[in-house]
Amino acid sequence: PVLRVAIMGLGSYGTRVAEAMRACTRARLVGVISGTPTKVRVWQERYGIPAKNCYDYGNYDQIKNNRDIDAVYVITPNALHHDAVIRVAKAGKHVICEKPMAVNARQGQEMVDACKAAGVQLLVGYRMHFEPHTLEVIRMRKEGAFGPIRFFQGLSGFIIGDPTQWRLNPALSGGGAMMDIGIYSINGSRYMTGEEPVWVTAQETKTDPVKFIKGIDETIQFQLGFPSGAVASCLSTYNANNLDRFFLDGAQGFAELLPATGYGPIQGRTHLGELQAPIVTHQTVQMDEMAQILLEGKQPVVPVDGREAVKDLTIIDAIYKAARTGQRVDLQA
Ligand code: NAD
């Protein structure tokens, strides 16, 4: 079976996903949801999408009656994910939602609950969970190649451009660099160590309060503690370029991914030498794998469901609280 997907939000990442899906064997782009008729016409032409599979933000609840669409992929600004995912769930379709799944853990849990109540599955666009170099490090760690894990470092950042974009508007982004790029270090600290953090501390700095208004974090350093005693030290920023590095250190070895989460090619090495793994288009592999998860119940090596996203959002909530109060915030193990 092939997963028939409609994309909601025909922006820059939606376009990247659509292009990558051309090479999919198990997933196919068959529909769009957009507020811009001119874009819809371009996409119809480019991807051969029939008019009956085109919706706008007013009428997409009717997707309920469309038997040619299995799932909707929500690729709109962060703060719009919550309502969109719940509406799609109520229309009885599986949902794939971009990261961050929501702007806080409470919203995230509501989305998980709504999908459960509607009997549909909710997946999140965690493309690194299918990336071969990443999976090779995880395999080696599980095998004990690094010994007991003691330390993880995650560096996630870039210099953001256009000050008028939605990413710098808290009403649409829900936060700054942490929501956008810092989440990669949070998520990465969990899949690289294989543990869930039990405490966080965080420190925020802001050099440009005009560009980064209240509610938009420019730079946050944060630390995580894990049940084994391992610790993580991470940086999330909109004010430094080329920060995309993961370093995992154990008592008997290490792994470095550099770049760790960019669109590729991902590269890395361990104490044993260069990592050898296939170079893939992340979104192609992600959509083929998600088709098998949604249609055949396949279990991914690292979860990509809504509950996985709520874990990241819970940590983000705790990091913001720790940065605000200067206090360590404890999390449930
Ligand atoms: P974008 O601005 O390029 O696209 C957003 C789209 O949403 C646009 O087409 C816009 O028209 C549409 N939209 C609908 N309602 C809107 C509204 N009320 N206000 C503004 N825009 C509205 O942004 P993007 O880079 O494509 O990001 C979209 C989502 O994808 C974000 O959640 C982002 O975090 C995520 N993303 C994920 C990755 C990844 O690697 N997984 C990469 C980039 C972006």
Side-chain angles (χ1 to χ4, degrees), residues 9-14 36 39 57 75-78 80-81 98-100 125 127 166-167 172 179-180 184 263 283:
L10 313 183
S12 85
Y13 196 64
T36 315
K39 278 199 247 174
Y57 292 106
I75 318 185
T76 52
N78 308 339
L80 308 178
H81 296 173
E98 255 319 311
K99 48 55 60 179
R127 61 188 161 75
W166 67 259
R167 282 181 167 78
L172 286 172
M179 283 288 169
D180 190 27
Y184 284 94
Y263 298 137
Q283 297 81 6

Side-chain angles (χ1 to χ4, degrees), residues 55-76:
Y55 297 86
D56 62 33
Y57 292 106
N59 70 12
Y60 74 83
D61 308 275
Q62 291 167 19
I63 215 163
K64 192 182 184 78
N65 307 314
N66 191 325
R67 298 170 70 172
D68 297 330
I69 294 173
D70 302 308
V72 173
Y73 194 162
V74 175
I75 318 185
T76 52

Side-chain angles (χ1 to χ4, degrees), residues 1-5 20-30 70-71 96 283-296 298:
V2 167
L3 183 76
R4 298 163 304 172
V5 179
M21 283 183 72
R22 288 176 181 278
C24 282
T25 56
R26 298 170 186 273
R28 193 162 65 231
L29 174 63
V30 299
D70 302 308
I96 304 169
Q283 297 81 6
T284 305
V285 176
Q286 175 200 319
M287 293 309 290
D288 273 341
E289 290 289 322
M290 286 186 166
Q292 293 172 78
I293 294 168
L294 293 176
L295 300 178
E296 294 160 32
K298 185 174 176 182

Side-chain angles (χ1 to χ4, degrees), residues 158-232:
F158 65 96
I159 296 178
I160 195 160
D162 177 13
T164 66
Q165 65 186 291
W166 67 259
R167 282 181 167 78
L168 298 175
N169 172 0
L172 286 172
S173 61
M178 184 62 64
M179 283 288 169
D180 190 27
I181 193 79
I183 191 171
Y184 284 94
S185 274
I186 294 169
N187 191 244
S189 74
R190 297 176 46 241
Y191 63 68
M192 294 286 277
T193 64
E195 295 190 67
E196 298 299 333
V198 288
W199 57 259
V200 314
T201 49
Q203 307 81 36
E204 180 172 4
T205 48
K206 197 173 272 197
T207 64
D208 187 346
V210 177
K211 185 169 182 182
F212 304 106
I213 63 174
K214 186 168 157 42
I216 298 291
D217 47 287
E218 175 187 326
T219 300
I220 295 180
Q221 300 184 66
F222 59 96
Q223 300 78 35
L224 310 172
F226 297 93
S228 69
V231 291

